Amino acid sequence: MYSVEFPFLSQKALEFGTIRTLGIPGITNLLFKTKYGLKDPQKRAAETNILVSEMIHHHVDSDRGSYAVRRLNGIHNKFKIPNDQFAYVLCLNVVSPIDFSERFGFRKWTDNEKEAAYVVWHDVGVRMGITTIPDSIPEMREYIRDYEAKNAILTDKNKSIVQDLKHLVLDAFPRPVQPLVETGICALIDPTIRSAVGLEKPPAIVEWIILGAFKLLAGSFVSAFLPPRRVEDAKGSIEVDWCPNPAANPEEYRQLNVNVYRPPAFEKGYKLAELGALKSGKLGPYYDGGLRCPFRQMHA
């Protein structure tokens, strides 16, 4: 789904999911304290994207997937992050692409597709040491609602970080259209989080026009004018090894798929061993636990 049916919407959904977390003071306080992700947010976002792609495309227990998740664990272990924050972000990673696609895409996800997304992220969460993973997507939705109801509060730090990140997005567009893009960002953010980060609600007619245009572009236009994408033609952001257990080769340079994803920090490619704010080659812990889809089952 992330590479074939809804690559654009899935990527945008995860980006807006990141913005959604900035309505939680516990998360923004940690960002201010550690400065992680604030010095070069585009680079940090790209590194996270690549690490996650390595995990979900190669399986979290493959050589490359396991190296990627332990690299991520090493980054997270530098900070004191409560388990409930990890679980909240994990739930957003499952639910956000589904909701974005059903709201703006040309079709809804099937039950099997939803279950597959849940299983992949559940198993990533297990290897990250998350101990309170909800047992289903409906329970994840409930977890998100309850967590935000208790924790989404407007603070100066929330507002400051969102303003900084918003300007990074706007600077990529010509100045004359920046007000329109800014209104679009406000329209796409959930009202609860919009209040918690200090963004204003657009006028109802403007919001209706923007959301309708996004739906038309991302859903109706694709369905009406573009041919279905074939699985064999689909590409994610990374080059995927289709052998049963691709060797990690963490010091090897890998190229990103230029036509899909090429952030400036990785024009020449990337080394798995150097991703993230962690000493090259250093790994975090391996967390044991039962997976919904064990690696051996993938290649039985």
Side-chain angles (χ1 to χ4, degrees), residues 74-271:
I75 297 168
H76 289 153
N77 277 12
K78 295 165 60 179
F79 318 121
K80 293 182 179 180
I81 304 176
N83 187 80
D84 60 347
Q85 282 185 16
F86 276 125
Y88 169 63
V89 174
L90 184 80
C91 291
L92 286 177
N93 288 343
V94 177
V95 170
S96 296
I98 295 172
D99 288 351
F100 245 58
S101 298
E102 294 196 345
R103 189 179 181 188
F104 301 113
F106 61 91
R107 71 169 178 85
K108 294 184 177 182
W109 289 42
T110 67
D111 290 340
N112 285 342
E113 290 165 346
K114 293 178 183 178
E115 180 64 18
Y118 172 82
V119 168
V120 167
W121 282 104
H122 169 276
D123 291 355
V124 168
V126 169
R127 290 295 180 257
M128 290 179 64
I130 302 175
T131 58
T132 55
I133 304 173
D135 289 327
S136 66
I137 290 179
E139 290 186 25
M140 284 186 163
R141 295 186 190 281
E142 184 177 356
Y143 189 97
I144 292 170
R145 285 194 298 269
D146 291 346
Y147 189 85
E148 290 180 346
K150 296 175 182 176
N151 297 284
I153 303 170
L154 176 62
T155 68
D156 290 339
K157 291 178 180 178
N158 292 5
K159 191 172 182 179
S160 175
I161 289 180
V162 168
Q163 290 298 321
D164 289 343
L165 295 180
K166 182 180 70 173
H167 286 300
L168 282 173
V169 174
L170 295 178
D171 288 344
F173 294 87
R175 187 173 296 275
V177 302
Q178 287 185 6
L180 181 62
V181 175
E182 182 175 1
T183 303
I185 292 173
C186 294
L188 288 167
I189 295 176
D190 181 87
T192 301
I193 300 302
R194 191 164 56 205
S195 298
V197 297
L199 294 177
E200 295 183 2
K201 176 179 171 59
I205 184 63
V206 175
E207 183 173 12
W208 181 81
I209 291 172
I210 290 175
L211 295 181
F214 196 77
K215 167 69 176 176
L216 181 66
L217 176 63
S220 303
F221 179 83
V222 171
S223 178
F225 298 105
L226 298 182
R229 300 183 72 194
R230 300 183 304 172
V231 173
E232 56 268 30
D233 293 335
K235 288 188 176 183
S237 57
I238 66 169
E239 292 290 351
V240 179
D241 294 328
W242 294 110
C243 57
N245 191 13
N249 296 329
E251 296 293 338
E252 172 193 18
Y253 256 108
R254 289 284 184 112
Q255 298 299 314
L256 295 170
N257 285 324
V258 177
N259 61 323
V260 178
Y261 186 72
R262 194 178 192 180
F266 298 102
E267 284 280 338
K268 297 180 180 179
Y270 68 96
K271 290 182 180 180

